[in-house]
Amino acid sequence: AISRRCPFPPRKDLQRAGAWKGEIWNRHKNGEAYPAQFTITAVKGNAGEVTHYVATLHDITERKAAEEEINSLAFYDTLTQLPNRRMLDDRLGQAMAASKRSGHYGALMFLDLDNFKPLNDTHGHGVGDLLLREVAHRLTGCVREVDTVARFGGDEFVVMLSELGEDKTESTAQAGIVAEKIRAALAEPYLLTFKPENETEMTVEHRCAASIGVVAFNSEASAEKIIKWADIAMYQAKEGGRNLVHFFEPESGNSPLSWAKLE
C-alpha cells in the first residue's frame, strides 16, 4: 500500500509534462513505513500518443535521516535538545508577527544559573551537563506547549511566552506567575548520579538557583532590543542578590537600566 505525502498530478498534467516526481510513504512487506521517492514517466508511441507509464520507487530513508540530523544540528542544542539561539530568533520573529496581528503581548525571560561553576570545578563538565539537562527538563515542565524554551549558551536559557493577553499589565502579571514558578522549580535541589572513571557510581546533591530577567513585548520593539532588555533585567537580578526575578520596564525612563523587582 502507498500512502501519498503529496497528491499525484491529474492525468492531463502528466500527459503534458511527461513525468512527475515526488515523495511518498510506502510500506515494506512487514508493514513498516518508509519514505520513498516516486517517479512516474509517460512512454509515448511513434505518433506521440501515451502508450503507458513507467513508475520507479526509491527508498530515501537514509537521506531523510541525514536531512533531519542536519536540521537538528542547525536549530537544536545537542546537549539538551532544546531550540538553540537560531531557532529562538526565528520563533521570536514569529511571535512578534502574531502579536502584531492579534494585539496580544508576549514575554521573554533570560535565565542564568547561579552557583553552576563550582559544580563543574568540583566534579567535571560531565556532571555539569547532567545538571543542564535537568534544568531543561524542569523548564519545559513549567510552560505550555506553545511556549519556547531555548538554551542560549553555557548555563544561560531563554523562555518565550506567546499570546498572553491584550492588556500589558495583565500579561506582565501572567509572565510573573510563570517566572516565579520557574524560579522555584530551579531552586529545588538536584540529585545527580554519575560514575567517575575507575570508581563506583555516586550521587551528589547540588543546589543551583537562577537569576531571571523578564520583559513583556509586542511588535513595537525589535527582537534584538527585547533580548537585550531581558538580559539587562537578568543582570539586575544577579546584582540584587540572585535567585530573583526582575522585570525590565522600557517606558519607565530614558535609562536603559530601568527595571522593576517582582514582589
Side-chain angles (χ1 to χ4, degrees):
I2 293 177
S3 175
R4 292 177 289 182
R5 176 175 295 177
C6 53
F8 293 123
R11 180 177 293 271
K12 62 179 182 179
D13 293 342
L14 184 57
Q15 289 176 331
R16 183 176 62 252
W20 179 86
K21 180 169 65 175
E23 294 180 9
I24 65 172
W25 282 102
N26 198 18
R27 290 188 181 276
H28 293 293
K29 291 182 179 180
N30 63 4
E32 181 182 357
Y34 69 93
Q37 181 172 287
F38 185 79
T39 302
I40 182 168
T41 304
V43 179
K44 298 181 179 181
N46 295 332
E49 79 283 6
V50 175
T51 59
H52 60 285
Y53 296 92
V54 175
T56 58
L57 202 64
H58 295 285
D59 188 335
I60 56 173
T61 301
E62 292 186 3
R63 193 191 82 190
K64 300 302 289 185
E67 290 175 355
E68 290 178 4
E69 183 177 1
I70 292 172
N71 180 73
S72 178
L73 291 173
F75 295 104
Y76 291 89
D77 174 54
T78 55
L79 176 64
T80 63
Q81 299 306 306
L82 293 177
N84 60 18
R85 181 166 183 175
R86 179 181 293 181
M87 176 68 83
L88 172 67
D89 289 342
D90 180 70
R91 291 189 179 177
L92 180 55
Q94 293 181 33
M96 294 174 68
S99 176
K100 186 175 182 178
R101 292 192 301 269
S102 68
H104 287 232
Y105 278 85
L108 193 79
M109 304 180 192
F110 207 108
L111 301 86
D112 185 80
L113 300 181
D114 303 323
N115 196 36
F116 175 71
K117 187 175 182 297
L119 179 68
N120 273 343
D121 293 343
T122 303
H123 298 288
H125 290 280
V127 181
D129 289 346
L130 293 177
L131 186 138
L132 292 174
R133 292 192 189 100
E134 177 59 22
V135 167
H137 176 72
R138 294 186 187 187
L139 286 173
T140 54
C142 290
V143 299
R144 305 164 298 176
E145 289 187 5
V146 297
D147 301 322
T148 296
V149 177
R151 185 183 178 203
F152 208 70
D155 60 346
E156 294 180 331
F157 294 82
V158 172
V159 175
M160 185 185 71
L161 308 179
S162 305
E163 294 290 312
L164 293 177
E166 295 183 31
D167 181 75
K168 183 178 181 181
T169 300
E170 179 183 334
S171 299
T172 300
Q174 293 176 19
I177 293 172
V178 178
E180 178 57 27
K181 180 180 179 181
I182 289 174
R183 187 204 62 77
L186 298 187
E188 291 293 320
Y190 296 82
L191 297 177
L192 307 171
T193 300
F194 62 101
K195 187 178 183 302
E197 188 175 357
N198 300 323
E199 296 184 27
T200 59
E201 186 175 85
M202 62 183 296
T203 299
V204 297
E205 178 178 324
H206 185 74
R207 292 184 178 273
C208 186
S211 298
I212 305 175
V214 189
V215 61
F217 68 85
N218 53 20
S219 60
E220 295 178 358
S222 67
E224 183 180 0
K225 281 187 176 180
I226 292 168
I227 293 175
K228 179 180 179 180
W229 289 341
D231 188 35
I232 289 172
M234 182 272 291
Y235 276 104
Q236 291 290 344
K238 281 189 175 295
E239 293 176 2
R242 305 193 176 199
N243 192 24
L244 295 172
V245 177
H246 285 262
F247 274 84
F248 184 88
E249 296 291 347
E251 307 89 359
S252 61
N254 294 325
S255 171
L257 295 179
S258 299
W259 56 275
K261 180 178 178 181
L262 178 67
E263 300 296 341

